[in-house]
Amino acid sequence: MFESLSERLGHAVRQVTGRGRITDDNVRDTVRQIRMALLEADVALPVVRTLVERVRERASGREVARSLNPGQVFVRIVHDEIVTILGGDAQPIAAKGRPSVLMLVGLQGAGKTTTAGKLVPMLARGSNGEILLVSTDVYRPAAREQLGRLAGQLGAGFFEPERSDPAAIAAEARAEAVRRGCRWLILDTAGRLHIDEALMAEAGSIHSAVEPAETLFVLDAMAGQDAVNSARAFNDALPLTGVILTKADGDARGGAALSVREVTGLPIKLLGTGEKLDALEPFVPERFASRILGMGDVIGLVEQVESRVDRESVERVARKVKRGRELNLVDFRAQLEQLSNLGGLDSVLDKLPGIKPGALAATGFDDRVVRRQMALIDSMTPRERRYPAIIDGSRKRRIAAGAGLAVQDVSRLLKQHRRLAKAMKQAARGGMERMLAQAQRGRGGHWQR
Amino acid sequence: MLSGSTSEGDSGFFGRLRSRLNRGRAWLAGDLAGLFAGGIDAETLEALETELLLADVGVEATQALVDALQRSTKNGEDAVEALRGKVLELLDPLARPLDIPNGAKPFVILAVGVNGTGKTTTVGKLAHRFVAEGRSVVIAAADTFRAAAVEQLAEWGRRAGATVVSQADRADPAAVVHDALATARARGADVVIADTAGRLHSDAGLMDELAKIHRVVSRFDTQAPHETLLVLDASQGQNALVQAERFNDRLGVTGLAITKLDGTARGGIVIAIARRLALPIRFVAIGEAIEDFAVFSAGEFTDALIGDRAA
């Protein structure tokens, strides 16, 4: 919904290029557009000011004047400045002592407990030895049960305290971790406001009770202007060692991460990127800079495709097509599933630069269509999936009812599948050109709901 | 009926809201009164712009407010008064308290929002409020995804004196809601509040799941859900506006609850949302305790933000 920096700069830069020269006046306009784009990305105002000042200095130099495309140079300069602020390479979680204690702190609802769980598989991949989880949240109802359940699901240890004082719980858990020879102790704390003096003091006493290897500030990627104030206050009260940015799978630009990094100097170590317990990724400054600017995350998309597409199933279909065998609905569904595995069409398109949100809706083929088609295929008997030709009116009605959709939806799916199967067959017979022509003709009408 | 008037509890609430929003001093009035005292010029307007942006009001709404202020102060109006007027003008139409008519039984509220905004706590506080008003309440624990979400809600149910309907972890949330609706009808309960799992508005699969829950409720009663309440976190920035738009597009949001106004974030996103979407703001929350929750009042909120007339 917000214009990306590239779009915003589009307007300002057209003026620049139109005149063929960069004057102080149009630098000012461009710089103003940069300022707004950063503010809409929730970058804190003081940080925006510093950044814009640096960009202004660099832009009014020869660098831009010499360039053929001043717009891209501007974007490049901003991008570079952001990468510089975000820091060099991804920094891993550091171990120190046995157990290495990781303490998670942050505001309410930032995602501390979920992150505590997500750390388990990540740490388990990198080292042997038991991982113990403990929650010192004695306030939120069922907070400790939540972490206990996660520990159970993940096969990690969970410390059940006998005491009710958070610092005492932490100390007991540490003693237990030592006794059991645990490699890691992950310590979850209650969400607290940075201005709550009593709770901030409590966090301090928990910290001194366990002396963590890492004290990590858990930050919501959607956080607003105030994120810098809370991060600064937490950093003043506790010797923080890094930041974990959560809910980064959404469409927030995540400017708060930039602000917190600039103001506290803390490295951003990890990104929470989904509902699943393995959705925790290393933070890559380059990639994140593109996101703040709304430039798309092509690198991320490539990695996603590599990690989530089931190569074997893709190849199975390819072999079938090569042998000239007809593609049935089982194969069709497998293809649809690959698309869903990538997080759906929306998620793929979101990562591509230059595609506006809503572009997908305009084509009439969205994730809902994909899921509906999968639901229809799921409502069929195995025989129907293998031999779609047997699907008559009565079968159509049953399938439609099973998927909670209309009979026309079944017909549309079958038609689409027939068209695809035919195209594949032709391709196998070497009719590649004909297939392409057919695909061209069919475009537009194909995917309408 | 939920009272929109300023009862003693509410004025106590807004007193606390004021002190929490401003940490002892009126925000804009405190920061800008001095500046405005010498009349309004480019410099004071920029200072105002800064304050609004720092409060998460956002670029668009900030520009609109600054422009409007520039126009009205040309006519010699007092700057702080003019600003209060503009903010009030934006917020006033949204101060529409949730009204539970006698005909709707059970009155169904579907609480939705992204992860971590405070849905469960809000549902608990709402239940408490309705029970205190003498209504019987059934809560549907439809967050079957987050570990121990049911236990968290069960505790709120105990505190509030409401019945909590739940199923096993990973159960179909729509089935839980249906179950709760059937329970409520069988018992003649007044209100059903469904707490749903947090989900990002950009997750198409989870938004579909929510739409399905919505359909199940409508099938139960064509008028239901009577209220689709979007819970927004005031400490979030401009993305809250996107959340409101997307949830509204998909479900037809009928009201907002704004939580976590007790941080040092000013909740300026409320102004941004008011400008962009005409969604009624039902409730505001300033803390985890049951009493840190009140019906939204445009006047009180504006005063808390800008400082009241007397100040």
Side-chain angles (χ1 to χ4, degrees), chain A residues 413-427:
Chain A
L413 167 75
L414 292 174
K415 198 169 147 196
Q416 237 169 56
H417 163 255
R418 271 198 306 278
R419 209 180 273 157
L420 185 69
K422 200 173 156 197
M424 288 295 184
K425 227 174 178 172
Q426 280 166 355

Side-chain angles (χ1 to χ4, degrees), chain B residues 193-214:
Chain B
I193 314 173
D195 182 28
T196 62
R199 67 200 73 224
L200 293 177
H201 50 285
S202 52
D203 187 321
L206 290 177
M207 290 303 278
D208 278 352
E209 181 192 88
L210 200 53
K212 181 183 166 194
I213 297 174
H214 197 274

Side-chain angles (χ1 to χ4, degrees), chain B residues 5-293:
Chain B
S5 66
T6 314
S7 69
E8 198 156 320
D10 278 2
S11 101
F13 172 86
F14 278 97
R16 291 203 304 284
L17 171 65
R18 187 171 317 184
S19 71
R20 287 181 197 184
L21 271 183
N22 300 307
R23 296 292 147 194
R25 64 184 184 147
W27 161 46
L28 288 170
D31 290 351
L32 294 177
L35 270 170
F36 280 152
I40 203 151
D41 55 23
E43 203 177 313
T44 50
L45 283 176
E46 200 190 315
L48 171 67
E49 186 191 69
T50 301
E51 289 299 323
L52 292 170
L53 289 171
L54 282 173
D56 291 315
V57 173
V59 172
E60 190 191 307
T62 294
Q63 277 175 347
L65 279 175
V66 169
D67 290 350
L69 199 62
Q70 197 164 16
R71 278 195 302 277
S72 47
T73 48
K74 272 194 188 131
N75 312 326
E77 264 183 73
D78 176 71
V80 176
E81 271 313 304
L83 180 67
R84 185 202 325 283
K86 297 294 166 201
V87 172
L88 198 56
E89 203 179 295
L90 277 173
L91 296 183
D92 204 43
L94 308 186
R96 302 210 297 273
L98 184 62
D99 182 37
I100 300 185
N102 289 326
K105 199 168 175 177
F107 186 86
V108 184
I109 300 171
L110 187 62
V112 300
V114 302
N115 315 65
T117 57
K119 280 177 299 304
T120 304
T121 305
T122 299
V123 166
K125 289 175 180 176
L126 269 178
H128 185 269
R129 193 177 184 92
F130 293 139
V131 171
E133 287 170 351
R135 301 176 198 275
S136 52
V137 177
V138 172
I139 300 175
D143 180 355
T144 56
F145 182 79
R146 181 162 60 93
V150 172
E151 284 78 357
Q152 184 181 350
L153 205 51
E155 174 57 30
W156 276 108
R158 264 191 298 281
R159 289 182 194 173
T163 307
V164 177
V165 172
S166 61
Q167 293 180 6
D169 276 2
R170 306 294 156 118
D172 177 6
V176 178
V177 173
H178 189 268
D179 213 4
L181 292 170
T183 304
R185 188 169 275 174
R187 295 190 186 178
D190 299 312
V191 181
V192 174
I193 314 173
D195 182 28
T196 62
R199 67 200 73 224
L200 293 177
H201 50 285
S202 52
D203 187 321
L206 290 177
M207 290 303 278
D208 278 352
E209 181 192 88
L210 200 53
K212 181 183 166 194
I213 297 174
H214 197 274
R215 277 199 304 279
V216 164
V217 174
S218 305
R219 221 170 283 154
F220 178 82
D221 173 352
T222 51
Q223 298 301 305
H226 304 85
E227 175 81 348
T228 301
L229 187 71
L230 175 65
V231 182
L232 292 176
D233 177 342
S235 72
Q236 288 184 343
Q238 301 309 303
N239 193 255
L241 188 52
V242 186
Q243 290 164 31
E245 291 202 328
R246 293 286 169 86
F247 274 93
N248 190 40
D249 286 349
R250 197 62 206 274
L251 298 172
V253 169
T254 56
L256 302 174
I258 315 281
T259 63
K260 307 190 203 175
L261 276 166
D262 49 336
T264 42
R266 308 288 194 179
I269 191 66
V270 172
I271 297 174
I273 291 171
R275 208 184 123 69
R276 192 66 84 89
L277 300 159
L279 293 173
I281 301 169
R282 308 294 199 190
F283 303 98
V284 286
I286 54 169
E288 285 171 307
I290 277 178
E291 63 274 13
D292 291 336
F293 189 69

Side-chain angles (χ1 to χ4, degrees), chain A residues 249-261:
Chain A
D249 48 329
D251 56 5
R253 290 274 169 74
L258 180 72
S259 318
V260 167
R261 165 77 190 171

Side-chain angles (χ1 to χ4, degrees), chain A residues 6 137 195 204 228 287 323 348 403 407 421:
Chain A
S6 353
D137 186 350
I195 41 177
V228 278
R287 201 183 289 174
R323 289 204 304 268
V348 172
V407 174

